[in-house]
Structures are given as structure tokens and as C-alpha cells.
């Protein structure tokens, strides 16, 4: 069963464009390698926020696949520390109704 999450990241003031560029070029391709689908990404400049939608529909649960992604040598090799850019995160797991 496909699990879908809407993720909203609060980004440090003045770092939004830098974060989105790093996320787009490093995180998205690796997420896709691990079987995730990224459905879209938006910025809310007024709130210094990055919103994106991710899903997973594979052999593992979303949580297992996410843990494998974070524990992977490929993720460690990215050299990207989200804590350098992000000051908050809200993750919502949602179900499609239409």
C-alpha cells in the first residue's frame, strides 16, 4: 500500500534557495534510488518554508525504507546535514480520497 507524506520544513532565514538547490540535486535522486517518489516541491518565501510530497509503495513499510535511506552509505556520502539548514519540520502522513 502506498504511503504518502506531506513534509514542511522551516528553513533558516536567508538559506531557502541554497537548501532547495541541495535538496533537489542531492536528496531527490537518492530518494528515487531507494524507491521513493517525489510528487512535487514548493517554497513559501513569506515563511521561509519548503513543502514537498513524497511517497513509497515497495516491499518494505515507509518507515523501514526511510530508515534504510538514512542508514545508507550513499546518504552519508552526500555530505548534507539538514540541521545546517532546517530549524523545524512537520511531517503528515495522508490518505488519498480522490
Amino acid at each position: 500500500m502506498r504511503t504518502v507524506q506531506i513534509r514542511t520544513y522551516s528553513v533558516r532565514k536567508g538559506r531557502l534557495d541554497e537548501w532547495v538547490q541541495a535538496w533537489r540535486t542531492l536528496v531527490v535522486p537518492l530518494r528515487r534510488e531507494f524507491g521513493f517518489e517525489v510528487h512535487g516541491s514548493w517554497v513559501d518565501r513569506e515563511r521561509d518554508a519548503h513543502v514537498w510530497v513524497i511517497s513509497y509503495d515497495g516491499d518494505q513499510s515507509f518507515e523501514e525504507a526511510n530508515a534504510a535511506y538514512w542508514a545508507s552509505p550513499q546518504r552519508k556520502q552526500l555530505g548534507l546535514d539538514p540541521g545546517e539548514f532546517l530549524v523545524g519540520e512537520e511531517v503528515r502522513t495522508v490518505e488519498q480520497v480522490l
Side-chain angles (χ1 to χ4, degrees), residues 20-73:
V20 169
Q21 177 64 22
W23 173 85
R24 187 177 7 203
T25 58
L26 300 173
V27 173
V28 171
L30 187 57
R31 282 287 188 176
R32 288 179 173 148
E33 276 186 44
F34 276 79
F36 292 90
E37 185 174 347
V38 177
H39 298 273
S41 171
W42 302 264
V43 293
D44 179 345
R45 292 194 185 282
E46 187 176 312
R47 292 176 180 81
D48 293 306
H50 175 222
V51 179
W52 60 297
V53 178
I54 184 173
S55 70
Y56 180 79
D57 186 17
D59 296 333
Q60 301 174 298
S61 69
F62 187 100
E63 293 77 13
E64 291 167 333
N66 194 50
Y69 162 82
W70 279 101
S72 72

